[in-house]
Amino acid sequence: MTETQFIGVAVDAYSTGNFLPAAFARHGAKLIHVQSTPALMPSMLAPNMNEYLENIVFDNEANTVQRLGRHQPVCVIAGQEPGVPLADRLSELLGLPSNGSALSPARRNKYEMIETLRANDIRCAEQFKADNAEEILAWVRETHCLPCVVKPLSSASTDGVVICHNEDEVLAAARQVLASRDIFGLANREVLVQSYLDGVEYIVDTVSAYGRHYVCGIWRYEKRLISGGKNIYDKDILIAEDAPEVAPLIHYIHSVLDALGIEFGPCHAEVMLTQAGPALVEVGARLNGNMHPDFHNGCLGHNQADLIAQSYVTPGLFAERFGGRHYRKRQEAIVFNVATNIEGTVVGLSEQVVAQINALPSVFLASYKVKPGQQLRPTQDLLSSPIRVFMRADNYEDILRDYDVINRLKHEVYVLR
């Protein structure tokens, strides 16, 4: 066994951040984990601490920098959304490649994010924030901004996002946000309202090094509008690199990354392609939440986690191979976030139905997210989708055929009482 040459640091590596330790290991590095909160956040898949050299629970900057500095790390990265500001600050204090802390609020707070774009003359939504629902409604009336979108300032996964078509819906949505916590367990002290961007929504995933950006995948969202004004995820569809919308999306996202000061590491952006051109919905300076290394390797020839590791461990090689370029699609692919309208306590899974789904030719991996003893509830957002299926094939028609089968079987997967 050879001695590890490089040490990296991941802050709050929840959810797809769990793919980072193996990715860095493939590039000759090990990771230390920094936990930004005294206790792990229960709303997301927790980091596997056995995959890290150690876990440091953040207490203050001086102590954490001193402990990390002994290892001479090559990078500090955010493993998931809550870790972005701390990763920015620690990398800055350690003198490592860093996006810096000056624009950290613009990379987490959706209001600051859009205002930063506006200050740089980049197309974006009109918006307003307040700490009470009545001020939100007053702004909507004054600006005649209907339909509009009401959402929390710093959440994710469509948590609390509501499309409102009348004043009653605006007031109800704003009150609901202010009365709740976001998916990271933090109280929503303000609420954001934005003009509705009418168009087709895309995912644009990137990895950057020294200000040179690589677009590692563009996916088109297909969503379904359900009662209450919520748009729920259905399919993320990988689009070809020569599709007509790719060039304007890439040009736009480069300007967004530059404006938000994202010079290093990953970004997961959601962009609406309107009649006037691309306009940002929001970005997260972290991995795509629907990323799976082996799945993406098959349909894209690479994956965001390994690209991140390479950009820090061998930055010269990364710049040579990827700097300023974009992906090429190898296979048709979708990520299907299955919705349900039934509820009950889960007793178990139907082995027969699960076997049928897993055996479908285009199914790479199906994840059954509700465990025995937990409640299955009607889908309201990405987090409440009970099944996620990664699908790929040479022909899109083959994927759609299997997609239809899964839709027919979805209510038979869980045994309820």
Side-chain angles (χ1 to χ4, degrees):
M1 182 176 177
T2 59
E3 185 178 352
T4 301
Q5 185 176 0
F6 299 103
I7 301 291
V9 179
V11 181
D12 290 339
Y14 298 89
S15 183
T16 48
N18 278 279
F19 293 123
L20 290 171
F24 272 79
R26 286 189 287 270
H27 292 272
K30 289 204 177 273
L31 290 179
I32 294 168
H33 187 266
V34 172
Q35 183 178 312
S36 71
T37 54
L40 289 171
M41 300 178 194
S43 60
M44 296 173 288
L45 180 64
N48 179 0
M49 298 306 180
N50 293 327
E51 297 184 327
Y52 292 90
L53 291 174
E54 65 174 306
N55 180 48
I56 297 174
V57 179
F58 178 79
D59 53 359
N60 61 63
E61 289 181 355
N63 287 346
T64 305
V65 167
Q66 183 180 41
R67 291 181 67 179
L68 292 175
R70 299 189 194 116
H71 298 277
Q72 298 183 313
V74 296
C75 64
V76 180
I77 60 173
Q80 191 44 253
E81 200 88 23
V84 170
L86 184 55
D88 289 343
R89 182 60 176 155
L90 292 176
S91 58
E92 184 177 58
L93 291 172
L94 287 162
L96 299 173
S98 177
N99 294 325
S101 60
L103 285 173
S104 287
R107 295 190 282 270
R108 277 289 289 129
N109 181 296
K110 294 175 176 55
Y111 180 84
E112 298 295 336
M113 186 181 295
I114 297 303
E115 290 306 301
T116 300
L117 298 195
R118 196 184 322 281
N120 284 273
D121 295 322
I122 297 172
R123 187 182 301 106
C124 56
E126 298 299 319
Q127 63 175 6
F128 177 74
K129 67 171 181 173
D131 60 4
N132 69 79
E134 287 70 24
E135 284 189 48
I136 294 292
L137 179 57
W139 181 83
V140 169
R141 284 174 174 164
E142 182 182 341
T143 59
H144 306 287
C145 187
L146 283 172
C148 63
V149 180
V150 174
K151 62 173 76 171
L153 282 179
S154 301
S155 197
S157 299
T158 66
D159 170 47
V161 178
V162 181
I163 300 170
C164 302
H165 296 87
N166 59 56
E167 293 184 0
D168 289 342
E169 290 177 355
V170 171
L171 197 59
R175 285 173 174 168
Q176 177 60 35
V177 169
L178 290 168
S180 63
R181 293 180 177 270
D182 65 23
I183 64 168
F184 310 117
L186 302 175
N188 291 314
R189 303 193 183 282
E190 292 183 295
V191 61
L192 177 65
V193 59
Q194 295 177 327
S195 58
Y196 178 72
L197 298 172
D198 191 15
V200 180
E201 191 173 357
Y202 292 84
I203 296 166
V204 185
D205 291 330
T206 59
V207 176
S208 304
Y210 296 96
R212 300 191 68 196
H213 314 300
Y214 177 66
V215 177
C216 50
I218 297 180
W219 304 70
R220 186 179 74 250
Y221 275 137
E222 283 192 4
K223 294 184 177 182
R224 291 196 300 111
L225 189 65
I226 61 173
S227 61
K230 286 183 176 287
N231 244 343
I232 59 170
Y233 292 87
D234 187 51
K235 296 191 288 289
D236 304 352
I237 304 169
L238 181 62
I239 64 172
E241 69 277 7
D242 57 356
E245 60 265 48
V246 166
L249 286 169
I250 289 177
H251 178 76
Y252 179 80
I253 207 63
H254 279 198
S255 67
V256 168
L257 294 171
D258 293 343
L260 296 177
I262 299 177
E263 298 185 8
F264 296 93
C267 184
H268 170 67
E270 295 171 341
V271 182
M272 193 71 74
L273 191 55
T274 71
Q275 285 190 339
L280 187 71
V281 176
E282 60 190 54
V283 304
R286 42 78 177 175
L287 285 158
N288 183 337
N290 275 342
M291 202 281 298
H292 187 285
D294 292 337
F295 174 73
H296 283 73
N297 285 344
C299 60
L300 287 164
H302 52 57
N303 70 83
Q304 201 177 23
D306 277 88
L307 289 168
I308 294 165
Q310 186 172 327
S311 73
Y312 286 109
V313 176
T314 54
L317 180 61
F318 178 85
E320 180 182 336
R321 292 186 61 189
F322 300 107
R325 297 183 173 90
H326 64 274
Y327 71 100
R328 180 177 65 83
K329 184 173 81 170
R330 293 188 172 188
Q331 263 190 316
E332 302 291 343
I334 73 168
V335 181
F336 175 23
N337 292 289
V338 181
T340 186
N341 58 8
I342 61 174
E343 57 185 315
T345 302
V346 173
V347 176
L349 298 177
S350 168
E351 294 183 8
Q352 180 182 0
V353 176
V354 167
Q356 282 182 263
I357 292 174
N358 291 347
L360 292 170
S362 69
V363 171
F364 171 81
L365 176 68
S367 173
Y368 305 95
K369 299 191 287 185
V370 188
K371 307 304 180 187
Q374 295 180 336
Q375 287 293 116
L376 178 68
R377 293 185 172 88
T379 303
Q380 294 294 313
D381 50 31
L382 183 59
L383 287 180
S384 55
S385 165
I387 306 168
R388 179 172 55 189
V389 190
F390 294 92
M391 307 173 72
R392 67 188 192 201
D394 292 333
N395 299 304
Y396 189 63
E397 292 75 15
D398 295 337
I399 294 177
L400 288 182
R401 183 176 59 248
D402 293 345
Y403 165 88
D404 289 338
V405 173
I406 296 169
N407 260 326
R408 290 198 300 271
L409 294 173
K410 64 183 181 181
H411 293 314
E412 302 174 35
V413 168
Y414 292 102
V415 180
L416 303 176
R417 61 179 164 95

